[in-house]
C-alpha cells in the first residue's frame, strides 16, 4: 500500500517537469538527454506533502474540530515494522494531522481497548480473528481491516477468510469499515492499475496529450 501511495504521489508531482523533456513514443523507454536516471527523493516529496497536511490540520482544528487520532496494531516484534510505524509517529507529531498509538498482538486486550476506543481511525493487521470487537470502537470511527486469517466456518466446516475485526458487530457502530475479503486487497490492486495508466499518460509529450484528449472526448461524445 505504501508503494502504491508513493507511486500516485510521484506521478502527480515529480513527473510534471517531464513535460519539457523529450521522449520517444509514449512508452516507459524514456530518451532523456542524460546517462543516469534521475534519483527520486521520497524525503523531499514527503516534506512537501507534510507541509500541506500541516496547513490542513491547522485549519481543521481552528474551525473547532477535534485533532485526529490514529491507532495502529502491529504484528509481533518485527524491528522493520516498528521502525516503519515509528516514522509514522514522528510524522504525525511533525504535522500536528494525528495522535498515533501503537499496539501489537501481545498487547493485553483491556489495554488495547483503551487505545482503540479513543481512535478516529483503527487499522488492524495483527492476524488474529475477532481481535477488534464492537465494544472497542467508538461511535463513528473508521475501521480498516488489513488482517487475513483462514479459519473453519462453524456452519459449513469449510475454510474461509476473515479479518481481525468482528465485522458484523463493528459495522453497526463504525461509520466506515472494510470487509475481508473484498476490502483493502482489491483496492490496492485496482489503484495500482489506475496509477499505472496515469503514469503512462504523464510521460506523453504535450502534443501527444492533446491528441489523446481529443480521442477521449470523441469516445465520450459517441
Amino acid at each position: 500500500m505504501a508503494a502504491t501511495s508513493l507511486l500516485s504521489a510521484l506521478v502527480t508531482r515529480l513527473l510534471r517537469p517531464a513535460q519539457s523533456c523529450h521522449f520517444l513514443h509514449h512508452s516507459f523507454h524514456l530518451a532523456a538527454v542524460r546517462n543516469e536516471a534521475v534519483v527520486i527523493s521520497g524525503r523531499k516529496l514527503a516534506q512537501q506533502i507534510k507541509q500541506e497536511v500541516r496547513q490542513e490540520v491547522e485549519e481543521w482544528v481552528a474551525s473547532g474540530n477535534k485533532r485526529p487520532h490514529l491507532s495502529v496494531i502491529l504484528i509481533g516484534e518485527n524491528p522493520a515494522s516498528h521502525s516503519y510505524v515509528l516514522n509514522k509517529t514522528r510524522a504525525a507529531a511533525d504535522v500536528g494531522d494525528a495522535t498515533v498509538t501503537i499496539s501489537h498482538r501481545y498487547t493485553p486486550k483491556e489495554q488495547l481497548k483503551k487505545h482503540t476506543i479513543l481512535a478516529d481511525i483503527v487499522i488492524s493487521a495483527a492476524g488474529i480473528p475477532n481481535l477488534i470487537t464492537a465494544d472497542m470502537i467508538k461511535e463513528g470511527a473508521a475501521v480498516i481491516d488489513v488482517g487475513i486469517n483462514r479459519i473453519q466456518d462453524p456452519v459449513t466446516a469449510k475454510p474461509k477468510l476473515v479479518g481481525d475485526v468482528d465485522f458484523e458487530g463493528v459495522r453497526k457502530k463504525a461509520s466506515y469499515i472494510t470487509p475481508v475479503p473484498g476490502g483493502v486487497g482489491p483496492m490496492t490492486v485496482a489503484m495500482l492499475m489506475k496509477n499505472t495508466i496515469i503514469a503512462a499518460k504523464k510521460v506523453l509529450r504535450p502534443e501527444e496529450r492533446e491528441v489523446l484528449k481529443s480521442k477521449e472526448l470523441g469516445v465520450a461524445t459517441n
Side-chain angles (χ1 to χ4, degrees), residues 5 15-16 63 66 81-82 98 109 114 117 132 134-135 140 146 156 162-163 174 190 216:
S5 300
L15 290 183
R16 287 174 188 164
S63 299
K66 189 177 69 172
S81 297
H82 280 268
K109 193 149 188 176
K114 291 179 181 178
I117 200 71
I132 306 299
D135 63 306
V146 190
T156 65
V162 298
E216 289 177 340

Side-chain angles (χ1 to χ4, degrees), residues 146-203:
V146 190
I148 300 179
N149 310 287
R150 188 177 296 275
I151 66 170
Q152 187 178 55
D153 191 300
V155 177
T156 65
K158 294 181 179 179
K160 71 172 185 178
L161 291 179
V162 298
D164 292 349
V165 177
D166 175 17
F167 183 79
E168 293 302 328
V170 174
R171 73 185 302 184
K172 299 173 184 177
K173 198 171 182 181
S175 59
Y176 296 93
I177 187 171
T178 60
V180 176
V184 172
M187 278 301 299
T188 57
V189 175
M191 289 309 298
L192 176 61
M193 299 302 103
K194 182 177 178 64
N195 290 333
T196 299
I197 185 60
I198 290 174
K201 291 180 178 180
K202 287 291 183 179
V203 298

Side-chain angles (χ1 to χ4, degrees), residues 80-179:
S81 297
H82 280 268
S83 176
Y84 185 64
V85 174
L86 178 61
N87 288 335
K88 285 182 169 57
T89 306
R90 289 171 175 167
D94 182 37
V95 302
D97 69 323
T99 302
V100 181
T101 304
I102 306 169
S103 303
H104 53 73
R105 65 187 304 167
Y106 301 112
T107 301
K109 193 149 188 176
E110 285 306 311
Q111 184 66 32
L112 179 62
K113 181 179 178 179
K114 291 179 181 178
H115 299 317
T116 57
I117 200 71
L118 298 174
D120 299 298
I121 304 172
V122 175
I123 305 171
S124 181
I128 301 177
N130 291 325
L131 174 65
I132 306 299
T133 52
D135 63 306
M136 301 171 67
I137 300 297
K138 75 175 184 179
E139 289 284 347
V143 181
I144 310 299
D145 193 350
V146 190
I148 300 179
N149 310 287
R150 188 177 296 275
I151 66 170
Q152 187 178 55
D153 191 300
V155 177
T156 65
K158 294 181 179 179
K160 71 172 185 178
L161 291 179
V162 298
D164 292 349
V165 177
D166 175 17
F167 183 79
E168 293 302 328
V170 174
R171 73 185 302 184
K172 299 173 184 177
K173 198 171 182 181
S175 59
Y176 296 93
I177 187 171
T178 60

